[in-house]
Amino acid sequence: MTGVNRGLDGVAVAETRLSTMDGEAGELIIGGFPVEELADDATFEETLYLLFHDRLPDAGELSEFRTDLAARREIGDEVLAVLQRAADEEKPAMDALRMGAAAANLGVDGDDPESDALRVVATFPTIVAAYWRYREGNEPIAPDPDLRHAANYLYMLTGERPEESAVRGLETYLNAVVDHGLNASTFTARVVVSTESDVVSAATAAVGTLKGPLHGGAPGPVLDMLKSVHASDDPEAYVREKLEADERLMGFGHRIYRVRDPRAAVLESAAEQFYDDDDDFFETITEFEDVAVELLAEYKPDRDLETNVEFYTAALLHGVGVPQELFPATFGVSRVGGWMAHALEQLEDNRLIRPESRYTGDRNRSWTPVDER
Ligand code: SDX
């Protein structure tokens, strides 16, 4: 019996063409492109097409794909009712997303997984935006088929046509985080379809996984941390207090990267344009990063705790104007593209994913009726 590997560290359970990371060199390749090559230039539809078809579309293919995806965005009144209830009860956005995704695709039978996958990707922004409109006491805004995916998401949140700079900033984020090997939520999606269940079940299970603060739940607390340090102007005191209390510093550390997450640089440069100099908030952000990395090395010298993707995610999404409560759900709006591509890959060459466990309980117990216990 092999040893128990609690976190599956270093265990490969699938072959994939979708993405790969070099944790020592700090490199991420998505669909064959270094993330730096893809993030700033691609529209999110081009990145999705790349994941689904292993190449970038030509102009005609892109136009057709964009139109097809846009045609799948609508959600019905029964889904809106679920989202209104979640908003009225102030349920977390990730719970609303999970319930909305299920309600929007009830009874999917899995006969056409690629079509189901596109429908799931197309509806995520509609679900998140409708929930948020209800949370703010407004009526949802219907999707606009003439807007591309990222622009339509921002439009459905506010009712206004977004600035191109905000759309570009959001697309850089969506492209950078769309896929990242077998992270916990993507692994969840693969486990679900490995039983030959459907891609909608895979997406809703993956949302539940992404919700956790160790995974997709980190950027919100990062922004709180940055606002608090911007007010105190003392990053060192803040970080020391956290580390003395043996608390996790959100936005730092990673299971794979032993150096700075390559996405941090991409998101940092995309975020800077949204901060003007006079309130020096961006200066606070970059100074905090330097202090945090230095003190993490001091307190945890045996670990390479560097900046991960969530640190500058907070700066970029805040700069673009995404509400802080929607940071994890916006991560889901992107990563659902990766989850669906991995699910389709798993279905192509499926093997039930079923690890073992080591039994540590008693053996050979004998039964006693309750009145004799
Ligand atoms: C994402 O897997 C992916 O690819 C995820 C992701 C993706 O694209 O899908 O990259 C997105 O999830 C980024 C991570 C977002 N989460 C956070 O920023 C939360 C803070 N980070 C940590 O909780 C932690 O670094 C993890 C969860 C990200 C990784 O944890 P590991 O690899 O399982 O490391 P560990 O929990 O075993 O920690 C090892 C040691 C521990 O110290 P000891 O208990 O051994 O003394 O390092 C310490 C930890 O306490 N440590 C930290 C720390 N991260 C690890 N200490 C302080 N602050 C931190 N951030």
Side-chain angles (χ1 to χ4, degrees):
M1 159 72 83
T2 50
V4 173
N5 182 334
R6 287 171 48 238
L8 286 182
D9 299 48
V11 172
V13 296
E15 290 184 329
T16 179
R17 62 168 174 78
L18 298 170
S19 64
T20 184
M21 296 84 71
D22 180 330
E24 300 301 328
E27 288 165 4
L28 165 60
I29 291 175
I30 299 174
F33 293 87
V35 65
E36 299 79 4
E37 276 288 302
L38 190 72
D40 286 338
D41 297 324
T43 60
F44 188 56
E45 285 89 340
E46 286 172 294
T47 300
L48 286 171
Y49 190 97
L50 172 66
L51 292 183
F52 276 54
H53 302 286
D54 196 19
R55 63 177 176 82
L56 289 175
D58 63 25
E61 290 164 330
L62 177 57
S63 168
E64 197 182 319
F65 183 75
R66 183 173 285 159
T67 305
D68 178 27
L69 196 65
R72 299 170 189 257
R73 288 172 178 166
E74 297 276 349
I75 57 177
D77 292 343
E78 75 290 354
V79 186
L80 291 174
V82 167
L83 299 175
Q84 177 148 34
R85 184 168 155 237
D88 294 349
E89 294 173 12
E90 297 201 358
K91 298 288 184 212
M94 290 298 266
D95 291 350
L97 176 56
R98 183 165 42 80
M99 294 188 290
N105 298 281
L106 288 178
V108 160
D109 57 14
D111 282 353
D112 185 348
E114 181 164 340
S115 174
D116 298 341
L118 285 172
R119 162 85 179 146
V120 169
V121 173
T123 51
F124 263 40
T126 317
I127 291 164
V128 175
Y131 158 81
W132 191 250
R133 295 288 295 176
Y134 283 132
R135 275 292 299 274
E136 292 193 310
N138 299 318
E139 282 304 304
I141 291 165
D144 179 342
D146 296 333
L147 292 175
R148 57 187 206 256
H149 200 72
N152 179 58
Y153 177 43
L154 293 175
Y155 163 67
M156 291 188 294
L157 284 173
T158 63
E160 280 140 42
R161 294 280 179 275
E163 297 288 325
E164 183 51 30
S165 59
V167 178
R168 187 61 258 162
L170 179 60
E171 279 188 314
T172 293
Y173 169 73
L174 298 178
N175 292 334
V177 302
V178 73
D179 201 53
H180 203 244
L182 278 198
N183 59 85
S185 54
T186 300
F187 180 58
T188 299
R190 287 194 88 128
V191 169
V192 170
V193 296
S194 82
T195 71
E196 295 189 4
S197 180
D198 59 81
V199 296
V200 176
S201 302
T204 51
V207 170
T209 305
L210 185 67
K211 176 183 174 186
L214 297 190
H215 190 9
V222 167
L223 187 58
D224 288 335
M225 177 169 78
L226 293 171
K227 286 178 180 171
S228 151
V229 168
H230 188 55
S232 71
D233 197 19
D234 191 347
E236 181 168 347
Y238 182 96
V239 174
R240 284 194 186 280
E241 186 186 340
K242 284 280 181 185
L243 297 182
E244 297 287 353
D246 205 19
E247 288 181 35
R248 298 287 175 104
L249 219 46
M250 295 291 120
F252 297 89
H254 200 276
R255 177 62 61 80
I256 306 289
Y257 291 119
R258 291 293 158 248
V259 294
R260 194 184 197 228
D261 187 319
R263 298 167 293 179
V266 169
L267 300 185
E268 178 186 4
S269 70
E272 188 161 12
Q273 63 184 298
F274 297 103
Y275 295 89
D276 47 36
D277 298 337
D278 54 20
D279 81 344
D280 74 12
F281 188 68
F282 201 75
E283 212 174 287
T284 298
I285 297 172
T286 54
E287 186 193 358
F288 183 94
E289 179 188 11
D290 296 342
V291 168
V293 170
E294 190 184 321
L295 292 181
L296 281 164
E298 182 187 316
Y299 281 80
K300 304 263 177 175
D302 54 337
R303 295 283 300 175
D304 304 311
L305 298 173
E306 298 284 343
T307 314
N308 66 41
V309 65
E310 309 304 3
F311 186 74
Y312 282 102
T313 287
L316 179 51
L317 292 186
H318 182 57
V320 162
V322 173
Q324 183 173 344
E325 278 193 59
L326 297 186
F327 286 1
T330 304
F331 193 167
V333 162
S334 168
R335 185 56 58 86
V336 67
W339 296 335
M340 294 295 94
H342 274 274
L344 295 174
E345 213 178 40
Q346 181 72 31
L347 286 172
E348 272 165 27
D349 175 22
N350 192 24
R351 173 145 178 75
L352 176 67
I353 297 174
R354 200 269 184 232
E356 294 196 33
S357 53
R358 174 187 284 172
Y359 180 67
T360 58
D362 285 355
R363 295 174 187 276
N364 308 318
R365 284 178 170 169
S366 56
W367 179 257
T368 48
V370 65
D371 49 13
E372 291 174 23
R373 286 181 217 143

